[in-house]
Amino acid sequence: MLATARLQLQHLPAHLTRDSWPGQLTILEEALSHLDALDAQWRQTRAQLPEGAGPGSDAYVDALDEHHAECWSYLDDWACHGRVILDIQAAARRAPSRPKHAQLPALTSRRSGHGARGR
């Protein structure tokens, strides 16, 4: 979604955009990167918990609480700025559409008078 929004923003006419959108996308990209790193860290922490320290155990709950606390500010970034993705999509739909492929001139038959067959 972020990559699509970034690409759409590059192709939107300036009158359909807001100056804040590039910065908001950057905030979302950075937050996602941090959340990915924290997720990898959580998987490692979970794998290192003592045997029997599964969901519901004190060790698991404490580790999960710490993980959630570390994630909170990045999730808040998404709550505050995530709407920009929808705003860019809406602007892209309002933008005048361009043909996907360049218009090519019509081809004409290239038959010669020497008995060649058209293919």
Side-chain angles (χ1 to χ4, degrees):
M1 292 186 310
L2 281 169
T4 299
R6 182 71 73 184
L7 184 63
Q8 287 174 321
L9 184 57
Q10 291 173 359
H11 296 322
L12 282 173
H15 73 278
L16 292 177
T17 66
R18 294 204 174 139
D19 292 339
S20 62
W21 289 354
Q24 288 177 292
L25 288 177
T26 299
I27 289 169
L28 294 176
E29 290 162 346
E30 290 173 359
L32 183 60
S33 176
H34 287 288
L35 288 168
D36 285 342
L38 288 169
D39 182 57
Q41 182 182 352
W42 165 245
R43 283 184 268 122
Q44 183 179 19
T45 299
R46 194 175 60 205
Q48 294 175 350
L49 288 173
E51 191 173 321
S57 70
D58 287 342
Y60 187 94
V61 170
D62 289 346
L64 185 58
D65 285 347
E66 184 177 329
H67 169 68
H68 286 163
E70 291 171 341
C71 292
W72 182 248
S73 67
Y74 305 114
L75 295 172
D76 188 55
D77 287 341
W78 271 86
C80 292
H81 301 286
R83 175 82 191 175
V84 71
I85 294 171
L86 300 174
D87 293 341
I88 292 170
Q89 172 64 25
R93 288 183 175 206
R94 286 192 308 270
S97 61
R98 292 183 276 166
K100 294 187 187 290
H101 302 288
Q103 296 285 337
L104 299 176
L107 297 177
T108 57
S109 176
R110 293 174 42 173
R111 293 185 187 191
S112 70
H114 300 298
R117 294 185 185 146
R119 294 183 185 189

